[in-house]
Amino acid sequence: MKKHSARVAPLSACNSPVLTLTKVEGEDRIRENVVGTTEAQSACTAGGAESGSSRRRLHCCIKVTTVQVQKALWGVAMVMCVCSSWAGSTQLAKLTFKQFDAPFTLTWFATTWNCLFFPLYYIGHLCKSPERQTPRQRFRECCRFFGDDGLTPKVFFTKVAPFGLLWILTNYLYLQALRKINTTDVSALFCCNKAFVFLLSWIVLRDRFMGVRIVAAILAIAGIVMMTYADGFHSHSVIGITLVVASASMSALYKVLFKMVLGSAKFGEAALFLSIVGSANFVFVSFVPVILYFTRVEYIGTPADIPWAYLCGVAALLFAFNILVNFGIAITYPTLISLGIVLSVPVNAMVDLYTCEIHFNTVRLIAVFIICLGFLMLLLPEDWDQCIIQLSTKLRKRDEPAEGSSEAGATTGLNWRGRTRTSMSTFAH
């Protein structure tokens, strides 16, 4: 099976950059642009050294800056959209349960919307790709992701069905938690899935050890305990917290198993995978809401009593959230997309405060803060320490007096770099 590199996760509940799973088709193009820009900048630098012309260098620098600014602006828009869709789906689901107390039926209904992923992807393929393929050709090409034989019954039941089950469990437990506790606590506690992803990937996939992420995991666990203590360990609150932590755990398990079993997927392959999950949910899981209806566990009444506007609203917002987190990295940075999730916590808090559904005591505020802090720490790149060292070096050189001799400045820089290498090698060992 063909292997790929750069990734995102095809799961609404899990989009952590700590472990990425899918390679976007636009990535090769993006990398070519970046490499081409870098080579052009190097050529401009060499040309400037030879001819003394600074115009080409200025043009290359402006080009690089324009690309970065454009990507950052797209990132701001993505942060707002991700935050709005995630917070909106959470709040709307909470309102839906006041009229339609059927979390599994809502999970089944929202998951079925995943069938639209591949058709929408194919429409985008027809609009963007110079080599247009028929739906069957594109389908067969994307099926190579599952192996040389494509999507066989054996592959479906061993490599697709388990992830569909984890998808349903993740969303069902999340919705069940919304029935027990407020949206602020649910959205904050679910951010712990980033820490669980790191711990599982470190243990199972032997990912690189990072002390800062261990600290983030500890903060997440401490936040869970403090959140439980904030409500006085009441049974209703403990059940809700247990449900959302279980949902976050299923989300992390989904990502780690996807990485271990399937590896990576391009845009089309991820869209096909999500569509298969939605189709399998419709075909094989439809009997569960029927059983729950006749056993009156999730009794609906007449079809006229179903708030179809709320149901479609929740499903549409979750579908939009899936699109943003899985395919948004084609236009912006993955870290900016992830920020939209943590920003949904204060948005939900403001809504809960306005609707008088939550009491913000000191313990709850501290718990939410340290969970969000741990989430942000997990977004740090692997070379964050080297970036800080380079930044401090530049600031140190800038603060040096202008009248200092150039030889002294060069010696200072060499000594600093030498100490850096020594400290880094010592840390690595």
Side-chain angles (χ1 to χ4, degrees), residues 119-138:
L120 290 179
Y121 162 77
Y122 182 73
I123 294 174
H125 165 74
L126 293 178
C127 297
K128 300 287 290 185
S129 178
E131 299 179 0
R132 298 182 178 179
Q133 297 176 323
T134 63
R136 177 176 294 183
Q137 291 174 337
R138 198 61 188 166

PDB file of all heavy atoms in Angstrom, residues 119-138:
ATOM      1  N   PRO A 119     -19.347  12.706  -2.633  1.00  0.00           N
ATOM      2  CA  PRO A 119     -19.956  13.478  -3.731  1.00  0.00           C
ATOM      3  C   PRO A 119     -19.483  14.927  -3.770  1.00  0.00           C
ATOM      4  O   PRO A 119     -19.213  15.460  -4.854  1.00  0.00           O
ATOM      5  CB  PRO A 119     -21.457  13.382  -3.430  1.00  0.00           C
ATOM      6  CG  PRO A 119     -21.616  12.114  -2.687  1.00  0.00           C
ATOM      7  CD  PRO A 119     -20.382  11.995  -1.851  1.00  0.00           C
ATOM      8  N   LEU A 120     -19.380  15.576  -2.610  1.00  0.00           N
ATOM      9  CA  LEU A 120     -18.886  16.953  -2.594  1.00  0.00           C
ATOM     10  C   LEU A 120     -17.430  17.024  -3.026  1.00  0.00           C
ATOM     11  O   LEU A 120     -17.015  17.957  -3.729  1.00  0.00           O
ATOM     12  CB  LEU A 120     -19.055  17.557  -1.200  1.00  0.00           C
ATOM     13  CG  LEU A 120     -20.489  17.837  -0.758  1.00  0.00           C
ATOM     14  CD1 LEU A 120     -20.506  18.403   0.658  1.00  0.00           C
ATOM     15  CD2 LEU A 120     -21.169  18.825  -1.717  1.00  0.00           C
ATOM     16  N   TYR A 121     -16.641  16.037  -2.603  1.00  0.00           N
ATOM     17  CA  TYR A 121     -15.246  16.002  -3.032  1.00  0.00           C
ATOM     18  C   TYR A 121     -15.146  15.840  -4.547  1.00  0.00           C
ATOM     19  O   TYR A 121     -14.320  16.489  -5.199  1.00  0.00           O
ATOM     20  CB  TYR A 121     -14.504  14.857  -2.341  1.00  0.00           C
ATOM     21  CG  TYR A 121     -13.207  14.496  -3.037  1.00  0.00           C
ATOM     22  CD1 TYR A 121     -12.079  15.294  -2.882  1.00  0.00           C
ATOM     23  CD2 TYR A 121     -13.139  13.387  -3.873  1.00  0.00           C
ATOM     24  CE1 TYR A 121     -10.907  14.977  -3.544  1.00  0.00           C
ATOM     25  CE2 TYR A 121     -11.967  13.069  -4.534  1.00  0.00           C
ATOM     26  CZ  TYR A 121     -10.851  13.865  -4.359  1.00  0.00           C
ATOM     27  OH  TYR A 121      -9.692  13.555  -5.024  1.00  0.00           O
ATOM     28  N   TYR A 122     -16.001  14.985  -5.112  1.00  0.00           N
ATOM     29  CA  TYR A 122     -15.941  14.765  -6.555  1.00  0.00           C
ATOM     30  C   TYR A 122     -16.336  16.033  -7.316  1.00  0.00           C
ATOM     31  O   TYR A 122     -15.772  16.328  -8.377  1.00  0.00           O
ATOM     32  CB  TYR A 122     -16.852  13.601  -6.939  1.00  0.00           C
ATOM     33  CG  TYR A 122     -16.800  13.278  -8.414  1.00  0.00           C
ATOM     34  CD1 TYR A 122     -15.687  12.650  -8.962  1.00  0.00           C
ATOM     35  CD2 TYR A 122     -17.848  13.627  -9.268  1.00  0.00           C
ATOM     36  CE1 TYR A 122     -15.619  12.371 -10.315  1.00  0.00           C
ATOM     37  CE2 TYR A 122     -17.791  13.345 -10.614  1.00  0.00           C
ATOM     38  CZ  TYR A 122     -16.677  12.717 -11.139  1.00  0.00           C
ATOM     39  OH  TYR A 122     -16.606  12.448 -12.484  1.00  0.00           O
ATOM     40  N   ILE A 123     -17.292  16.774  -6.797  1.00  0.00           N
ATOM     41  CA  ILE A 123     -17.646  18.057  -7.430  1.00  0.00           C
ATOM     42  C   ILE A 123     -16.441  19.006  -7.415  1.00  0.00           C
ATOM     43  O   ILE A 123     -16.138  19.671  -8.415  1.00  0.00           O
ATOM     44  CB  ILE A 123     -18.855  18.684  -6.713  1.00  0.00           C
ATOM     45  CG1 ILE A 123     -20.099  17.821  -6.927  1.00  0.00           C
ATOM     46  CG2 ILE A 123     -19.105  20.104  -7.210  1.00  0.00           C
ATOM     47  CD1 ILE A 123     -21.310  18.290  -6.143  1.00  0.00           C
ATOM     48  N   GLY A 124     -15.754  19.051  -6.283  1.00  0.00           N
ATOM     49  CA  GLY A 124     -14.542  19.865  -6.228  1.00  0.00           C
ATOM     50  C   GLY A 124     -13.469  19.361  -7.162  1.00  0.00           C
ATOM     51  O   GLY A 124     -12.718  20.155  -7.757  1.00  0.00           O
ATOM     52  N   HIS A 125     -13.369  18.045  -7.320  1.00  0.00           N
ATOM     53  CA  HIS A 125     -12.399  17.465  -8.255  1.00  0.00           C
ATOM     54  C   HIS A 125     -12.706  17.893  -9.684  1.00  0.00           C
ATOM     55  O   HIS A 125     -11.785  18.228 -10.448  1.00  0.00           O
ATOM     56  CB  HIS A 125     -12.431  15.942  -8.134  1.00  0.00           C
ATOM     57  CG  HIS A 125     -11.761  15.222  -9.256  1.00  0.00           C
ATOM     58  ND1 HIS A 125     -10.382  15.162  -9.391  1.00  0.00           N
ATOM     59  CD2 HIS A 125     -12.279  14.528 -10.312  1.00  0.00           C
ATOM     60  CE1 HIS A 125     -10.078  14.461 -10.479  1.00  0.00           C
ATOM     61  NE2 HIS A 125     -11.209  14.069 -11.055  1.00  0.00           N
ATOM     62  N   LEU A 126     -13.977  17.908 -10.056  1.00  0.00           N
ATOM     63  CA  LEU A 126     -14.341  18.338 -11.414  1.00  0.00           C
ATOM     64  C   LEU A 126     -14.029  19.809 -11.648  1.00  0.00           C
ATOM     65  O   LEU A 126     -13.672  20.210 -12.763  1.00  0.00           O
ATOM     66  CB  LEU A 126     -15.835  18.086 -11.650  1.00  0.00           C
ATOM     67  CG  LEU A 126     -16.294  16.627 -11.702  1.00  0.00           C
ATOM     68  CD1 LEU A 126     -17.808  16.565 -11.898  1.00  0.00           C
ATOM     69  CD2 LEU A 126     -15.576  15.865 -12.813  1.00  0.00           C
ATOM     70  N   CYS A 127     -14.142  20.617 -10.590  1.00  0.00           N
ATOM     71  CA  CYS A 127     -13.915  22.055 -10.743  1.00  0.00           C
ATOM     72  C   CYS A 127     -12.430  22.418 -10.743  1.00  0.00           C
ATOM     73  O   CYS A 127     -12.036  23.388 -11.406  1.00  0.00           O
ATOM     74  CB  CYS A 127     -14.632  22.815  -9.625  1.00  0.00           C
ATOM     75  SG  CYS A 127     -16.426  22.639  -9.637  1.00  0.00           S
ATOM     76  N   LYS A 128     -11.615  21.649 -10.024  1.00  0.00           N
ATOM     77  CA  LYS A 128     -10.224  22.048  -9.817  1.00  0.00           C
ATOM     78  C   LYS A 128      -9.222  21.235 -10.622  1.00  0.00           C
ATOM     79  O   LYS A 128      -8.220  21.772 -11.088  1.00  0.00           O
ATOM     80  CB  LYS A 128      -9.875  21.932  -8.331  1.00  0.00           C
ATOM     81  CG  LYS A 128     -10.731  22.799  -7.422  1.00  0.00           C
ATOM     82  CD  LYS A 128     -10.377  24.267  -7.522  1.00  0.00           C
ATOM     83  CE  LYS A 128      -9.022  24.556  -6.914  1.00  0.00           C
ATOM     84  NZ  LYS A 128      -8.704  25.998  -6.892  1.00  0.00           N
ATOM     85  N   SER A 129      -9.462  19.947 -10.774  1.00  0.00           N
ATOM     86  CA  SER A 129      -8.464  19.078 -11.386  1.00  0.00           C
ATOM     87  C   SER A 129      -8.467  19.226 -12.906  1.00  0.00           C
ATOM     88  O   SER A 129      -9.525  19.235 -13.537  1.00  0.00           O
ATOM     89  CB  SER A 129      -8.737  17.610 -11.020  1.00  0.00           C
ATOM     90  OG  SER A 129      -7.791  16.761 -11.643  1.00  0.00           O
ATOM     91  N   PRO A 130      -7.268  19.342 -13.532  1.00  0.00           N
ATOM     92  CA  PRO A 130      -7.218  19.420 -15.002  1.00  0.00           C
ATOM     93  C   PRO A 130      -7.563  18.094 -15.666  1.00  0.00           C
ATOM     94  O   PRO A 130      -8.040  18.066 -16.793  1.00  0.00           O
ATOM     95  CB  PRO A 130      -5.769  19.829 -15.287  1.00  0.00           C
ATOM     96  CG  PRO A 130      -5.003  19.371 -14.081  1.00  0.00           C
ATOM     97  CD  PRO A 130      -5.940  19.488 -12.923  1.00  0.00           C
ATOM     98  N   GLU A 131      -7.288  16.971 -14.973  1.00  0.00           N
ATOM     99  CA  GLU A 131      -7.596  15.650 -15.504  1.00  0.00           C
ATOM    100  C   GLU A 131      -8.874  15.139 -14.831  1.00  0.00           C
ATOM    101  O   GLU A 131      -8.836  14.627 -13.722  1.00  0.00           O
ATOM    102  CB  GLU A 131      -6.437  14.687 -15.259  1.00  0.00           C
ATOM    103  CG  GLU A 131      -5.139  15.113 -15.923  1.00  0.00           C
ATOM    104  CD  GLU A 131      -4.010  14.138 -15.642  1.00  0.00           C
ATOM    105  OE1 GLU A 131      -4.282  13.139 -14.927  1.00  0.00           O
ATOM    106  OE2 GLU A 131      -2.898  14.362 -16.123  1.00  0.00           O
ATOM    107  N   ARG A 132      -9.972  15.282 -15.503  1.00  0.00           N
ATOM    108  CA  ARG A 132     -11.253  14.882 -14.927  1.00  0.00           C
ATOM    109  C   ARG A 132     -11.483  13.396 -15.132  1.00  0.00           C
ATOM    110  O   ARG A 132     -11.266  12.865 -16.214  1.00  0.00           O
ATOM    111  CB  ARG A 132     -12.382  15.692 -15.562  1.00  0.00           C
ATOM    112  CG  ARG A 132     -12.264  17.191 -15.300  1.00  0.00           C
ATOM    113  CD  ARG A 132     -13.426  17.953 -15.906  1.00  0.00           C
ATOM    114  NE  ARG A 132     -13.332  19.381 -15.620  1.00  0.00           N
ATOM    115  CZ  ARG A 132     -14.208  20.291 -16.044  1.00  0.00           C
ATOM    116  NH1 ARG A 132     -15.252  19.910 -16.769  1.00  0.00           N
ATOM    117  NH2 ARG A 132     -14.041  21.568 -15.743  1.00  0.00           N
ATOM    118  N   GLN A 133     -11.960  12.759 -14.077  1.00  0.00           N
ATOM    119  CA  GLN A 133     -12.255  11.336 -14.109  1.00  0.00           C
ATOM    120  C   GLN A 133     -13.742  11.119 -13.848  1.00  0.00           C
ATOM    121  O   GLN A 133     -14.410  11.956 -13.245  1.00  0.00           O
ATOM    122  CB  GLN A 133     -11.435  10.587 -13.047  1.00  0.00           C
ATOM    123  CG  GLN A 133      -9.933  10.676 -13.266  1.00  0.00           C
ATOM    124  CD  GLN A 133      -9.161  10.013 -12.135  1.00  0.00           C
ATOM    125  OE1 GLN A 133      -9.561  10.100 -10.977  1.00  0.00           O
ATOM    126  NE2 GLN A 133      -8.071   9.344 -12.468  1.00  0.00           N
ATOM    127  N   THR A 134     -14.223   9.970 -14.294  1.00  0.00           N
ATOM    128  CA  THR A 134     -15.603   9.612 -14.001  1.00  0.00           C
ATOM    129  C   THR A 134     -15.719   9.236 -12.518  1.00  0.00           C
ATOM    130  O   THR A 134     -14.707   8.925 -11.873  1.00  0.00           O
ATOM    131  CB  THR A 134     -16.045   8.431 -14.868  1.00  0.00           C
ATOM    132  OG1 THR A 134     -15.235   7.290 -14.549  1.00  0.00           O
ATOM    133  CG2 THR A 134     -15.882   8.774 -16.352  1.00  0.00           C
ATOM    134  N   PRO A 135     -16.924   9.262 -11.961  1.00  0.00           N
ATOM    135  CA  PRO A 135     -17.064   8.868 -10.550  1.00  0.00           C
ATOM    136  C   PRO A 135     -16.528   7.474 -10.263  1.00  0.00           C
ATOM    137  O   PRO A 135     -15.917   7.246  -9.218  1.00  0.00           O
ATOM    138  CB  PRO A 135     -18.577   8.959 -10.318  1.00  0.00           C
ATOM    139  CG  PRO A 135     -19.051   9.962 -11.309  1.00  0.00           C
ATOM    140  CD  PRO A 135     -18.189   9.775 -12.514  1.00  0.00           C
ATOM    141  N   ARG A 136     -16.737   6.537 -11.187  1.00  0.00           N
ATOM    142  CA  ARG A 136     -16.238   5.179 -10.957  1.00  0.00           C
ATOM    143  C   ARG A 136     -14.718   5.146 -10.966  1.00  0.00           C
ATOM    144  O   ARG A 136     -14.102   4.473 -10.122  1.00  0.00           O
ATOM    145  CB  ARG A 136     -16.790   4.240 -12.033  1.00  0.00           C
ATOM    146  CG  ARG A 136     -16.276   2.806 -11.917  1.00  0.00           C
ATOM    147  CD  ARG A 136     -16.912   1.894 -12.940  1.00  0.00           C
ATOM    148  NE  ARG A 136     -18.337   1.742 -12.688  1.00  0.00           N
ATOM    149  CZ  ARG A 136     -19.123   0.950 -13.403  1.00  0.00           C
ATOM    150  NH1 ARG A 136     -18.618   0.250 -14.433  1.00  0.00           N
ATOM    151  NH2 ARG A 136     -20.406   0.863 -13.119  1.00  0.00           N
ATOM    152  N   GLN A 137     -14.077   5.870 -11.888  1.00  0.00           N
ATOM    153  CA  GLN A 137     -12.618   5.903 -11.928  1.00  0.00           C
ATOM    154  C   GLN A 137     -12.046   6.523 -10.657  1.00  0.00           C
ATOM    155  O   GLN A 137     -11.068   6.016 -10.098  1.00  0.00           O
ATOM    156  CB  GLN A 137     -12.156   6.685 -13.157  1.00  0.00           C
ATOM    157  CG  GLN A 137     -12.430   5.996 -14.475  1.00  0.00           C
ATOM    158  CD  GLN A 137     -12.074   6.873 -15.665  1.00  0.00           C
ATOM    159  OE1 GLN A 137     -12.025   8.099 -15.567  1.00  0.00           O
ATOM    160  NE2 GLN A 137     -11.829   6.251 -16.804  1.00  0.00           N
ATOM    161  N   ARG A 138     -12.671   7.605 -10.233  1.00  0.00           N
ATOM    162  CA  ARG A 138     -12.172   8.261  -9.026  1.00  0.00           C
ATOM    163  C   ARG A 138     -12.379   7.378  -7.808  1.00  0.00           C
ATOM    164  O   ARG A 138     -11.534   7.325  -6.916  1.00  0.00           O
ATOM    165  CB  ARG A 138     -12.897   9.599  -8.834  1.00  0.00           C
ATOM    166  CG  ARG A 138     -12.193  10.543  -7.888  1.00  0.00           C
ATOM    167  CD  ARG A 138     -10.826  10.887  -8.426  1.00  0.00           C
ATOM    168  NE  ARG A 138     -10.033  11.633  -7.462  1.00  0.00           N
ATOM    169  CZ  ARG A 138      -8.732  11.834  -7.573  1.00  0.00           C
ATOM    170  NH1 ARG A 138      -8.080  11.323  -8.609  1.00  0.00           N
ATOM    171  NH2 ARG A 138      -8.069  12.517  -6.674  1.00  0.00           N
TER     172      ARG A 138
END
